[in-house]
Amino acid sequence: MEWFLGFGIAGLIVLVLSLVLDGVLESIGGGLDGFLSLPVIAGFVSALGFTGAIATGAAGAGAVVATLTGIAAGALVGWATWWFSRALLRDGDAPAPRGEDLTGTSGAVVTAIPAGGYGEVLLYLAGQPVKYAAKAAAPVERGAEVWVESVLSATSVTVRPVER
């Protein structure tokens, strides 16, 4: 039973170190990734050890039965760890928003836009408020609602006032 507890504790230590050092151990281990990542291996070893200890201590199973039970539980925990880590790290199907997605959206002027100069507008990109430098053909006062006509750069747009 002591060997199984040792495996379980060693797996927990590897798991904590892989989380605390965040990538340092992966670089030492030769870049293990995916199904052979350190969290998956740590989950497998911990489940094998603790399940084997429970099987020998509580159920009175022999070493072979406890080891096979531990391997089965470890495989299940390792697979679950791999699946959950993939689900957490999976990129969504939608592409990341780009500045060009702003064309045709509305916003509000936060710094007045002078004729021929730049002011600032508050726009929403993917639901998040973002402040952009804004240029307009005519002066636009603070607080006015505007439409984005075009994107000049990653930080500036051309706008026109909304006419109602």
Side-chain angles (χ1 to χ4, degrees):
M1 178 154 72
E2 292 80 21
W3 280 97
F4 288 118
L5 287 176
F7 277 125
I9 292 169
L12 287 179
I13 290 171
V14 170
L15 179 62
V16 168
L17 286 175
S18 72
L19 294 174
V20 171
L21 298 178
D22 193 30
V24 173
L25 291 178
E26 279 86 356
S27 64
I28 294 170
L32 297 176
D33 196 18
F35 201 68
L36 290 178
S37 66
L38 284 178
V40 171
I41 293 170
F44 174 82
V45 171
S46 292
L48 182 148
F50 290 131
T51 303
I54 291 170
T56 57
V64 173
V65 173
T67 301
L68 293 175
T69 306
I71 289 172
L76 181 66
V77 169
W79 175 83
T81 305
W82 171 76
W83 189 84
F84 281 123
S85 65
R86 279 192 52 220
L88 289 173
L89 298 175
R90 184 177 306 138
D91 290 335
D93 293 336
R98 298 171 301 163
E100 291 81 23
D101 296 336
L102 291 172
T103 303
T105 62
S106 65
V109 177
V110 292
T111 303
I113 304 171
Y118 282 93
E120 292 178 320
V121 294
L122 184 64
L123 304 171
Y124 288 89
L125 183 60
Q128 298 298 315
V130 183
K131 195 171 10 172
Y132 284 87
K135 193 172 188 176
V140 183
E141 296 299 317
R142 181 179 185 268
E145 186 178 1
V146 292
W147 287 99
V148 177
E149 288 184 327
S150 64
V151 177
L152 300 174
S153 71
T155 58
S156 63
V157 293
T158 302
V159 297
R160 66 174 171 81
V162 172
E163 299 172 10
R164 295 190 186 253

